[in-house]
């Protein structure tokens, strides 16, 4: 199943998209949109990198990318690869010998742009090693590193220029009969990213890794990513996503799941519905929503919780959710699976709500 819920209404049908497998992770075709991130430790610091990979996996990350900028990082890969189960992708620029080392170390995927690794012979060597080891290649076109000749002829990193760059890299691989390819085309401009990915999807069957590059820090970055990814995913563009935020990669994974859950594409983790509060609110909804959200941080269960302020929309939303709260004057009703199970005073509402949530498939409480 491509999606976990909801109707799929995309620009390209899932069966138009090739499935590429990185480690055990299937990307494309009917498979659910997967979540990936990138470590920001020094890859040659094996202990720190393994600790971060473990945290990422704990948050639900399904593919972890590591920067391999030098020999030390490449040498660390063997130990890292053999210590984890999650599929790993090495991110390598310009240096074909690092790519060969990564394949030797047992890496599951390579992010490399074939046009940038020093000529056809070197591309051939890397592609042969990838084909022999079953290692797919992700081509990553980025507005910040567009080839100069394309930037000149298209007058900047336009969507058409980004597509032309992707085409150039794909041609290197297809000429060698290598089609185990994933492509990403990213710009810091949301609309350009969307357009470039639309152009690509009309032309190629390769799965798309989508994201908004260098989206920024905190809520700015999250909102920019949600705007861009939401627009693309709703059109069926995107088989694996990375949210690029300045800061902790763990936040990238959490944000990615929020985006996918909002679109009904993944259900991992509880959905918390809470009302915006208004002049009718007579209990501290903000504090209740914050505490429940915090208690469920990291929970992978699939259920909905509604936290509502009053009798107008409260009972309706609370009874549609798996667990709900409808507030009244300094008190509230607790619902489970559509039925009122308790009436509690305001100071007892949080514990009463958490007690009911505990009865769901919650692995945090
Ligand atoms: Fe206001 Fe009630 Fe709606 Fe909350 S649920 S915003 S308190 S009307």
């Amino acid at each position: 199943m491509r999606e976990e819920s909801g109707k799929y209404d995309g620009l390209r049908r899932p069966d138009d998209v090739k499935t590429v497998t990185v480690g055990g992770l299937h990307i494309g075709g009917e498979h659910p949109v997967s979540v990936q991130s990138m470590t920001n430790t020094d890859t040659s610091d094996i202990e720190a990198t393994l600790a971060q990979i473990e945290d990422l996996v704990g948050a639900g990350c399904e593919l972890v990318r590591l920067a391999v900028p030098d020999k030390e990082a490449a040498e660390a890969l063997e130990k890292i690869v053999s210590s984890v189960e999650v599929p790993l992708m090495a991110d390598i620029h310009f240096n074909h010998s690092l790519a060969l080392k990564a394949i030797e170390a047992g890496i599951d995927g390579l992010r490399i742009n074939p046009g940038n690794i020093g000529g056809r012979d070197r591309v051939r060597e890397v592609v042969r090693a990838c084909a022999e080891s079953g290692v797919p290649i992700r081509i990553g076109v980025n507005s910040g590193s567009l080839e100069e000749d394309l930037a000149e002829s298209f007058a900047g990193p336009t969507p058409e220029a980004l597509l032309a760059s992707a085409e150039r890299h794909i041609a290197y691989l297809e000429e060698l009969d290598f089609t185990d390819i994933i492509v990403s085309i990213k710009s810091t401009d949301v609309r350009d990213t969307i357009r470039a990915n639309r152009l690509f999807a009309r032309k190629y069957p390769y799965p798309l890794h989508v994201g908004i590059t260098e989206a920024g820090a905190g809520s700015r970055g999250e909102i920019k990513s949600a705007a861009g990814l939401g627009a693309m995913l709703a059109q069926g563009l995107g088989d694996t996503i990375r949210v690029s935020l300045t800061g902790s990669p763990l936040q990238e994974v959490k944000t990615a799941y929020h985006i996918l859950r909002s679109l009904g594409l993944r259900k991992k983790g509880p959905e918390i519905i809470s009302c915006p509060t208004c002049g009718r609110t007579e209990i501290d909804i903000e504090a209740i929503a914050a505490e429940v959200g915090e208690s469920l941080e990291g929970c992978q269960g699939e259920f909905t919780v509604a936290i509502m302020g009053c009798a107008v929309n409260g009972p309706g939303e609370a009874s549609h959710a798996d667990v709900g709260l409808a507030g009244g004057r300094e008190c509230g009703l607790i619902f489970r699976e559509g039925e009122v199970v308790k009436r509690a005073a305001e100071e007892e509402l949080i514990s009463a709500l958490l007690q009911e949530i505990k009865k769901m498939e919650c692995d945090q409480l």
Side-chain angles (χ1 to χ4, degrees):
M1 276 285 287
R2 180 183 183 79
E3 65 205 306
E4 293 188 346
S5 72
K7 188 173 178 301
Y8 188 80
D9 185 20
L11 178 78
R12 64 176 182 174
R13 296 164 48 80
D15 52 12
D16 294 336
V17 183
K18 184 181 161 73
T19 296
V20 171
T21 303
V22 185
L25 180 71
H26 304 302
I27 297 175
E30 298 280 338
H31 300 284
V33 179
S34 52
V35 170
Q36 57 174 290
S37 184
M38 187 169 181
T39 50
N40 61 4
T41 52
D42 174 351
T43 305
S44 62
D45 182 343
I46 297 175
E47 210 176 300
T49 303
L50 283 175
Q52 196 171 62
I53 293 173
E54 195 183 320
D55 288 346
L56 284 166
V57 171
C61 187
E62 294 164 312
L63 171 61
V64 178
R65 183 155 50 108
L66 309 122
V68 182
D70 50 33
K71 209 165 122 260
E72 288 70 32
E75 279 162 2
L77 285 180
E78 197 175 328
K79 172 85 181 124
I80 294 171
V81 169
S82 62
S83 306
V84 301
E85 304 256 311
V86 67
L88 298 177
M89 183 168 278
D91 190 291
I92 295 168
H93 289 275
F94 313 122
N95 189 326
H96 93 298
S97 61
L98 293 179
L100 294 173
K101 274 198 170 66
I103 297 165
E104 242 172 72
I107 202 78
D108 300 296
L110 274 187
R111 183 264 162 120
I112 195 162
N113 286 349
N116 301 343
I117 58 168
R120 300 215 176 244
D121 288 350
R122 290 182 170 177
V123 175
R124 191 170 298 118
E125 223 182 312
V126 172
V127 165
R128 192 182 304 128
C130 280
E132 278 167 9
S133 312
V135 171
I137 293 179
R138 199 254 290 183
I139 291 168
V141 173
N142 197 303
S143 57
S145 54
L146 182 69
E147 298 94 307
E148 263 174 43
D149 64 316
L150 291 175
E152 222 167 89
S153 50
F154 287 89
T158 62
E160 290 74 14
L162 297 173
L163 177 69
S165 172
E167 290 184 312
R168 185 179 279 181
H169 294 299
I170 289 170
Y172 269 92
L173 300 183
E174 287 183 340
E175 276 165 22
L176 298 166
D177 283 332
F178 188 88
T179 56
D180 219 3
I181 302 171
I182 299 170
V183 174
S184 67
I185 308 182
K186 299 184 185 178
S187 166
T188 50
D189 183 291
V190 172
R191 294 172 74 103
D192 282 354
T193 305
I194 297 168
R195 178 158 166 75
N197 280 279
R198 283 179 68 92
L199 294 172
F200 178 85
R202 291 206 183 99
K203 216 164 165 184
Y204 290 99
Y206 299 120
L208 275 168
H209 157 133
V210 291
I212 302 298
T213 195
E214 297 122 21
S219 61
R220 266 173 201 271
E222 291 173 11
I223 291 166
K224 190 171 178 184
S225 297
L229 283 166
M232 288 188 281
L233 291 164
Q235 298 174 59
L237 301 176
D239 303 286
T240 178
I241 68 172
R242 188 218 173 172
V243 172
S244 302
L245 298 176
T246 307
S248 163
L250 289 185
Q251 194 54 35
E252 296 186 350
V253 175
K254 289 179 195 164
T255 306
Y257 277 107
H258 284 312
I259 294 170
L260 293 175
R261 203 166 34 243
S262 304
L263 292 161
L265 291 170
R266 295 295 296 266
K267 290 200 217 157
K268 200 192 273 286
E271 170 146 24
I272 303 176
I273 297 158
S274 59
C275 85
T277 75
C278 73
R280 286 190 196 90
T281 323
E282 294 191 80
I283 55 171
D284 192 350
I285 287 288
E286 200 180 331
I288 297 172
E291 189 160 340
V292 170
E294 218 168 279
S295 307
L296 295 181
E297 194 65 57
C299 170
Q300 314 268 321
E302 295 175 7
F303 53 89
T304 51
V305 179
I307 300 167
M308 305 294 291
C310 77
V312 175
N313 294 323
E317 290 290 355
S319 60
H320 291 145
D322 294 304
V323 177
L325 158 67
R329 176 166 291 184
E330 293 166 9
C331 67
L333 296 175
I334 306 290
F335 290 71
R336 187 155 58 83
E337 286 160 4
E339 303 290 332
V340 176
V341 290
K342 193 166 186 175
R343 182 190 174 89
E346 181 170 4
E347 55 280 10
E348 290 166 11
L349 282 175
I350 294 178
S351 68
L353 195 61
L354 292 176
Q355 241 172 28
E356 291 308 318
I357 293 172
K358 225 176 182 172
K359 297 176 188 161
M360 310 303 300
E361 40 168 339
C362 178
D363 46 22
Q364 288 303 104
L365 297 173

